Coordinates of all heavy atoms in Angstrom, one line a residue:
L75 N 5.3 22.7 3.9 CA 5.3 22.0 5.2 C 4.5 20.8 5.1 O 4.8 19.7 5.7 CB 4.8 22.9 6.2 CG 5.7 24.1 6.6 CD1 5.0 25.0 7.7 CD2 7.0 23.6 7.2
G76 N 3.4 20.8 4.3 CA 2.5 19.6 4.1 C 3.3 18.5 3.4 O 3.2 17.4 3.7
Y77 N 4.1 18.9 2.4 CA 4.9 17.9 1.6 C 5.9 17.2 2.6 O 6.0 16.0 2.5 CB 5.7 18.6 0.5 CG 4.9 19.4 -0.5 CD1 5.6 20.5 -1.1 CD2 3.6 19.3 -0.7 CE1 4.9 21.3 -2.0 CE2 2.9 20.1 -1.6 CZ 3.6 21.1 -2.3 OH 2.9 21.9 -3.1
A78 N 6.5 18.0 3.4 CA 7.5 17.5 4.4 C 6.8 16.6 5.4 O 7.3 15.5 5.6 CB 8.2 18.6 5.1
A79 N 5.6 17.0 5.9 CA 4.9 16.1 6.8 C 4.5 14.8 6.2 O 4.6 13.7 6.8 CB 3.7 16.9 7.4
F80 N 4.0 14.9 4.9 CA 3.6 13.7 4.2 C 4.8 12.8 4.0 O 4.7 11.6 4.2 CB 3.0 14.0 2.8 CG 2.8 12.8 2.0 CD1 1.7 12.0 2.2 CD2 3.8 12.4 1.1 CE1 1.5 10.8 1.5 CE2 3.6 11.2 0.3 CZ 2.5 10.4 0.5
A81 N 6.0 13.3 3.7 CA 7.2 12.5 3.4 C 7.6 11.8 4.7 O 7.9 10.6 4.7 CB 8.3 13.4 2.9
V82 N 7.6 12.5 5.8 CA 7.9 11.9 7.1 C 7.0 10.7 7.5 O 7.4 9.6 7.8 CB 8.0 12.9 8.3 CG1 8.1 12.2 9.6 CG2 9.2 13.9 8.0
L83 N 5.7 11.0 7.3 CA 4.7 10.0 7.7 C 4.8 8.8 6.7 O 4.6 7.6 7.1 CB 3.3 10.6 7.7 CG 3.0 11.6 8.8 CD1 1.6 12.2 8.6 CD2 3.1 10.9 10.1
W84 N 5.1 9.1 5.4 CA 5.2 8.0 4.5 C 6.4 7.1 4.8 O 6.3 5.9 4.7 CB 5.3 8.5 3.0 CG 5.3 7.5 2.0 CD1 4.2 6.8 1.5 CD2 6.5 6.8 1.5 NE1 4.7 5.8 0.6 CE2 6.0 5.8 0.6 CE3 7.8 7.0 1.6 CZ2 6.9 5.0 -0.1 CZ3 8.7 6.2 0.9 CH2 8.3 5.3 0.0
V85 N 7.5 7.7 5.1 CA 8.7 6.9 5.5 C 8.4 6.1 6.7 O 8.7 4.9 6.7 CB 9.9 7.8 5.7 CG1 11.0 7.1 6.4 CG2 10.4 8.4 4.4
L86 N 7.8 6.6 7.7 CA 7.4 5.8 8.9 C 6.5 4.7 8.5 O 6.7 3.5 9.0 CB 6.7 6.7 10.0 CG 7.6 7.7 10.7 CD1 6.8 8.6 11.6 CD2 8.7 7.0 11.5
W87 N 5.5 4.9 7.7 CA 4.6 3.9 7.2 C 5.3 2.8 6.5 O 5.1 1.6 6.7 CB 3.6 4.6 6.4 CG 2.5 3.7 5.9 CD1 2.0 2.5 6.4 CD2 1.6 3.9 4.7 NE1 1.0 2.0 5.6 CE2 0.7 2.9 4.6 CE3 1.6 5.0 3.8 CZ2 -0.2 2.8 3.6 CZ3 0.6 4.9 2.8 CH2 -0.3 3.8 2.7
T88 N 6.3 3.2 5.6 CA 7.0 2.2 4.8 C 7.9 1.4 5.7 O 8.0 0.1 5.5 CB 7.8 2.9 3.7 OG1 6.9 3.7 2.9 CG2 8.6 2.0 2.9
V89 N 8.6 2.0 6.6 CA 9.5 1.2 7.5 C 8.7 0.2 8.3 O 9.1 -0.9 8.5 CB 10.3 2.2 8.4 CG1 11.0 1.5 9.6 CG2 11.3 3.0 7.6
R90 N 7.5 0.7 8.9 CA 6.7 -0.2 9.7 C 6.2 -1.4 8.8 O 6.1 -2.5 9.2 CB 5.6 0.5 10.3 CG 6.1 1.4 11.5 CD 4.9 2.2 12.1 NE 4.0 1.3 12.8 CZ 4.2 0.9 14.1 NH1 5.2 1.3 14.8 NH2 3.3 0.1 14.7
A91 N 5.8 -1.1 7.5 CA 5.2 -2.1 6.7 C 6.3 -3.1 6.3 O 6.1 -4.3 6.2 CB 4.7 -1.5 5.4
A92 N 7.6 -2.6 6.1 CA 8.7 -3.5 5.7 C 9.0 -4.4 6.9 O 9.4 -5.6 6.7 CB 9.9 -2.7 5.3
A93 N 8.8 -4.0 8.1 CA 9.1 -4.8 9.3 C 7.9 -5.7 9.7 O 8.0 -6.4 10.7 CB 9.4 -3.8 10.5
G94 N 6.8 -5.6 8.9 CA 5.7 -6.4 9.2 C 4.8 -5.9 10.3 O 4.0 -6.6 10.9
R95 N 5.0 -4.7 10.7 CA 4.2 -4.1 11.8 C 3.1 -3.3 11.2 O 3.1 -2.8 10.1 CB 5.1 -3.1 12.6 CG 6.3 -3.9 13.3 CD 7.3 -3.1 13.9 NE 6.8 -2.1 14.9 CZ 7.5 -1.1 15.3 NH1 8.7 -0.9 14.9 NH2 6.9 -0.3 16.2
P96 N 2.0 -3.2 12.0 CA 0.8 -2.4 11.5 C 1.2 -0.9 11.4 O 2.0 -0.4 12.1 CB -0.2 -2.7 12.6 CG 0.5 -3.0 13.8 CD 1.8 -3.7 13.3
P97 N 0.5 -0.3 10.5 CA 0.7 1.2 10.3 C 0.3 1.9 11.6 O -0.5 1.5 12.4 CB -0.2 1.6 9.2 CG -1.2 0.5 9.0 CD -0.6 -0.7 9.6
L98 N 1.0 3.1 11.8 CA 0.6 3.9 12.9 C -0.8 4.4 12.8 O -1.3 4.7 11.8 CB 1.5 5.2 12.9 CG 3.0 5.0 13.2 CD1 3.8 6.3 13.1 CD2 3.2 4.4 14.6
R99 N -1.5 4.4 14.0 CA -2.8 4.9 14.0 C -2.7 6.4 14.4 O -2.5 6.7 15.5 CB -3.7 4.2 15.0 CG -3.9 2.7 14.7 CD -4.8 2.6 13.5 NE -4.9 1.2 13.0 CZ -5.3 0.9 11.8 NH1 -5.6 1.8 11.0 NH2 -5.3 -0.4 11.5
L100 N -2.9 7.3 13.4 CA -2.8 8.7 13.7 C -4.2 9.3 13.7 O -4.5 10.2 12.9 CB -1.9 9.4 12.6 CG -0.5 8.9 12.6 CD1 0.2 9.5 11.4 CD2 0.2 9.3 13.9
A101 N -5.0 8.8 14.5 CA -6.4 9.4 14.7 C -6.3 10.7 15.5 O -6.1 10.6 16.7 CB -7.3 8.4 15.3
P102 N -6.3 11.8 14.8 CA -6.2 13.1 15.5 C -7.3 13.3 16.5 O -8.5 13.0 16.2 CB -6.2 14.1 14.4 CG -6.1 13.4 13.1 CD -6.5 12.0 13.4
R103 N -6.9 13.8 17.6 CA -7.9 14.2 18.6 C -8.4 15.6 18.3 O -7.9 16.2 17.4 CB -7.3 14.2 20.0 CG -6.8 12.8 20.4 CD -6.2 12.9 21.8 NE -5.6 11.6 22.1 CZ -4.4 11.3 22.4 NH1 -3.5 12.3 22.5 NH2 -4.0 10.1 22.7
A104 N -9.5 16.0 18.9 CA -10.1 17.3 18.7 C -9.0 18.4 18.8 O -9.0 19.4 18.0 CB -11.2 17.6 19.6
L105 N -8.1 18.3 19.8 CA -7.1 19.3 20.0 C -6.2 19.4 18.7 O -5.8 20.5 18.3 CB -6.2 18.9 21.2 CG -5.1 19.9 21.5 CD1 -5.6 21.3 21.8 CD2 -4.3 19.4 22.7
H106 N -5.9 18.3 18.1 CA -5.0 18.3 16.9 C -5.7 19.0 15.8 O -5.1 19.8 15.1 CB -4.7 16.9 16.4 CG -3.8 16.1 17.4 ND1 -4.1 14.8 17.8 CD2 -2.7 16.4 18.0 CE1 -3.2 14.4 18.6 NE2 -2.4 15.4 18.8
W107 N -7.0 18.8 15.6 CA -7.8 19.5 14.6 C -7.8 21.0 14.8 O -7.7 21.8 13.9 CB -9.2 18.9 14.4 CG -9.2 17.6 13.7 CD1 -9.6 16.4 14.3 CD2 -8.8 17.3 12.4 NE1 -9.5 15.4 13.4 CE2 -9.0 15.9 12.2 CE3 -8.2 18.0 11.4 CZ2 -8.7 15.3 11.0 CZ3 -7.9 17.4 10.2 CH2 -8.1 16.0 10.0
W108 N -8.0 21.3 16.1 CA -8.0 22.8 16.5 C -6.6 23.4 16.2 O -6.5 24.5 15.7 CB -8.4 23.0 17.9 CG -9.8 23.0 18.2 CD1 -10.6 21.9 18.7 CD2 -10.7 24.0 17.9 NE1 -11.9 22.3 18.7 CE2 -12.0 23.5 18.2 CE3 -10.6 25.3 17.4 CZ2 -13.2 24.3 18.1 CZ3 -11.8 26.1 17.2 CH2 -13.0 25.6 17.6
A109 N -5.6 22.7 16.5 CA -4.2 23.2 16.2 C -4.0 23.4 14.7 O -3.5 24.4 14.3 CB -3.2 22.3 16.9
I110 N -4.3 22.4 14.0 CA -4.1 22.4 12.5 C -5.0 23.6 11.9 O -4.5 24.4 11.1 CB -4.5 21.1 11.9 CG1 -3.4 20.0 12.2 CG2 -4.6 21.2 10.3 CD1 -3.9 18.6 11.9

Side-chain angles (χ1 to χ4, degrees):
L75 290 176
Y77 309 152
F80 172 80
V82 168
L83 292 173
W84 183 84
V85 167
L86 290 173
W87 183 22
T88 303
V89 168
R90 289 180 68 85
R95 296 170 55 194
L98 291 174
R99 295 290 174 199
L100 297 175
R103 298 183 183 121
L105 178 62
H106 295 131
W107 286 117
W108 278 102
I110 291 168

